[in-house]
Amino acid sequence: MDSPIHGALKLLFTVFCMVSVVVVAVASPESSASRSSSPAMSGQINSNSILVALLDSHYTELAELVEKAMLLQTLEDAVGNHNITIFAPKNEALERDLDPEFKRFLLEPGNLKSLQTLLMFHVIPTRIGSNDWPAHSKSARQSTLSKHVLHLAGHHSGEKTVDLANVVHPDAITRPDGVIHGIERLLIPQSVQDDFNRRRNLQVISAVKPEGAPEVDPRTHRLKKPAPPAEAGSPPALPIYDALAPGPSLAPAPAPGPGGAHRHFNGERQVKDFIQTLLHYGGYNEMADILVNLTSLATEMGRLVSEGYVLTVLAPNDEAMAKLTTDQLSEPGAPEQIMYYHLIPEYQTEESMYNAVRRFGKVRYDTLRLPHKVAAQEADGSVKFGNGDGSAYLFDPDIYTDGRISVQGIDGVLFPPEEVEAKDAPKAVQPTKVVAKPRRGKLLEVTCRMLRTFGQDSSFTACH
């Protein structure tokens, strides 16, 4: 039989074990919560990040380009996964040393991918400090975020280079998640340089060398031998109509340029490119939505361009599209007919249209909504399409021009003159049928009035 003292010790030991279990159970959630909320495990960008340091640094030109290229989210993902190394060109390299034509090419909305590739070419998804640089007379290849390769090299003189640029400020900014090196010039990948060269190449953009109009026989409308050179300022030998080539409604000629005997172009890619440009430009989302989602016009336009046609798109902005009523869009085929009237089967830029209206006063362009034409004239230093209240001004010129598709932004939706007149015409008012009241005779009215004057009651029922 156990003694009382031994039983009391066993009871105390049991109570101590139960208290220990409760304390551990209460403390474990707090410890796990503290581990999950620690900065090392969160992976979020904090104020000490290398991206925050870049935006607040004196490399302002590079920081602005990163924001314009919409790369902040991409760089945040890269920083969240691993350390990064940024090669930052000095501001002078982007302001004064860079070719103005190349800088204009980078900032065009249609060349956003080239700008993103150029900037990601300056970022390596690995931390490379000045101490990690290759030794003298050695080089190392490093892959960038743009999938291109940079060559890092060290020299006997102590200089460090990355491709053709010297590192002028090694370890200019260091943070726990990355490092920034200042370089003397901009690094340009070969793919971006090729895109720029192709854009400047006249053969690729289908530029046609202007030639004199051929001489046409006014009786047969066939070509004759070239006319002898005339003095400057002399009147034309033939009417201007005979010098014009047949329009697209008669015999649409394929767009000139490379492509072999078949003259085949990737029209779907070009249409997709100009629609993406509209979205990046801003203010033309409704137009893009109609072309892609509400209709199959994007596919039809791609087929036309593939066959060699050229197109000029008069694109109404979102404010103009918002004024369309439900009745105008609810009829079957109404969106297609509206858009067909905004497609001109010619390649026209803002400069060419303005020169035409300045010279001829009023120009009528064919549209894909046959046989309707859209009229253009000069107004307030710009081009105005349509007439009266249904007119629209050339608001955003040359949003997209690649030699085959030209997109010109306008501030209104155009309709053929016949529809505008029908809409504005006053509606015929139906005459209201008036029920004629039975009129009493003139003599009876005079008699009743005399009787009331003398204060006598009349026995005529008509007086009552």
Side-chain angles (χ1 to χ4, degrees):
M1 182 175 180
D2 295 334
S3 63
I5 298 177
H6 182 68
L9 289 175
K10 290 178 63 177
L11 180 61
L12 288 175
F13 180 75
T14 304
V15 172
F16 175 77
C17 292
M18 294 177 62
V19 172
S20 300
V21 171
V22 172
V23 170
V24 171
V26 172
S28 58
E30 296 179 355
S31 60
S32 61
S34 61
R35 286 194 301 269
S36 62
S37 62
S38 61
M41 301 295 291
S42 62
Q44 297 181 353
I45 303 301
N46 53 33
S47 59
N48 199 29
S49 172
I50 192 67
L51 298 182
V52 178
L54 174 64
L55 297 178
D56 294 339
S57 66
H58 60 275
Y59 298 104
T60 55
E61 290 289 328
L62 180 64
E64 290 180 3
L65 288 179
V66 170
E67 292 181 350
K68 289 181 180 179
M70 297 180 289
L71 285 178
L72 288 178
Q73 185 60 44
T74 303
L75 295 179
E76 286 182 8
D77 296 340
V79 170
N81 295 331
H82 34 244
N83 269 236
I84 64 173
T85 301
I86 301 176
F87 298 103
K90 57 184 181 180
N91 288 338
E92 292 79 4
L94 297 175
E95 289 179 350
R96 295 193 298 267
D97 301 340
L98 190 62
D99 182 11
E101 188 176 354
F102 182 71
K103 187 174 183 179
R104 195 181 312 114
F105 162 79
L106 293 176
L107 296 180
E108 288 180 358
N111 303 323
L112 180 64
K113 292 183 179 178
S114 297
L115 178 60
Q116 291 177 342
T117 302
L118 177 83
L119 294 176
M120 289 191 293
F121 186 58
H122 291 73
V123 182
I124 295 177
T126 306
R127 185 186 184 95
I128 302 176
S130 58
N131 297 329
D132 304 324
W133 214 268
H136 304 320
S137 302
K138 293 184 179 180
S139 62
R141 293 164 52 91
Q142 295 290 340
S143 179
T144 64
L145 289 183
S146 64
K147 308 304 180 184
H148 295 77
V149 175
L150 282 176
H151 296 82
L152 280 62
H155 302 275
H156 290 290
S157 60
E159 293 183 349
K160 297 178 175 60
T161 59
V162 48
D163 272 7
L164 300 178
N166 293 329
V167 179
V168 292
H169 295 295
D171 297 336
I173 301 176
T174 58
R175 291 292 186 271
D177 54 0
V179 59
I180 297 178
H181 301 293
I183 57 178
E184 64 173 355
R185 54 178 295 181
L186 186 70
L187 303 175
I188 303 176
Q190 188 61 40
S191 61
V192 176
Q193 186 67 44
D194 293 341
D195 291 342
F196 175 62
N197 294 336
R198 280 196 297 267
R199 184 60 68 92
R200 290 196 304 182
N201 189 348
L202 294 181
Q203 183 180 7
V204 174
I205 65 174
S206 304
V208 181
K209 181 181 178 181
E211 298 178 355
E215 186 179 358
V216 181
D217 189 342
R219 296 174 301 173
T220 62
H221 288 278
R222 293 188 177 182
L223 295 178
K224 292 170 50 176
K225 294 181 179 180
E231 297 181 0
S234 59
L238 295 174
I240 188 65
Y241 173 80
D242 294 325
L244 295 176
S249 60
L250 299 178
H262 299 288
R263 296 183 178 273
H264 179 78
F265 306 102
N266 191 348
E268 295 182 359
R269 182 185 62 81
Q270 290 177 283
V271 171
K272 181 179 179 181
D273 190 21
F274 102 74
I275 291 177
Q276 288 180 345
T277 303
L278 274 181
L279 297 176
H280 287 304
Y281 192 88
Y284 293 90
N285 296 332
E286 296 292 336
M287 175 76 176
D289 190 44
I290 287 181
L291 293 178
V292 177
N293 297 325
L294 297 183
T295 66
S296 60
L297 286 180
T299 304
E300 295 180 13
M301 293 171 63
R303 189 179 302 114
L304 287 175
V305 176
S306 297
E307 294 175 358
Y309 288 79
V310 290
L311 295 174
T312 297
V313 183
L314 303 179
N317 56 18
D318 290 345
E319 184 178 354
M321 298 293 289
K323 297 179 182 179
L324 291 175
T325 62
T326 306
D327 296 337
Q328 292 173 324
L329 295 174
S330 59
E331 296 182 4
E336 289 87 346
Q337 295 300 320
I338 294 175
M339 289 298 103
Y340 282 142
Y341 191 63
H342 292 74
L343 300 179
I344 300 175
E346 304 176 23
Y347 184 78
Q348 297 288 342
T349 62
E350 185 266 344
E351 182 179 3
S352 64
M353 288 191 291
Y354 184 71
N355 290 338
V357 297
R358 283 290 303 272
R359 182 177 181 182
F360 300 108
K362 194 170 186 179
V363 181
R364 295 170 62 86
Y365 294 105
D366 290 324
T367 66
L368 293 187
R369 185 176 179 180
L370 299 176
H372 297 290
K373 300 177 182 288
V374 59
Q377 57 186 330
E378 193 271 339
D380 301 330
S382 180
V383 182
K384 184 178 78 170
F385 300 96
N387 298 301
D389 296 336
S391 61
Y393 283 86
L394 183 54
F395 189 70
D396 289 321
D398 296 341
I399 296 177
Y400 181 87
T401 52
D402 69 344
R404 298 183 184 88
I405 300 177
S406 172
V407 181
Q408 308 293 329
I410 58 177
D411 62 352
V413 180
L414 301 174
F415 292 93
E418 295 81 0
E419 295 185 5
V420 176
E421 294 174 359
K423 182 178 66 173
D424 297 339
K427 296 182 179 179
V429 180
Q430 295 292 337
T432 304
K433 185 175 181 181
V434 179
V435 179
K437 295 181 180 180
R439 181 174 175 81
R440 295 176 296 185
K442 190 69 175 177
L443 181 60
L444 183 60
E445 289 183 0
V446 173
T447 304
C448 292
R449 190 179 305 114
M450 291 177 60
L451 291 176
R452 284 196 298 271
T453 303
F454 291 105
Q456 299 180 6
D457 294 333
S458 173
S459 60
F460 294 105
T461 57
C463 290
H464 299 283

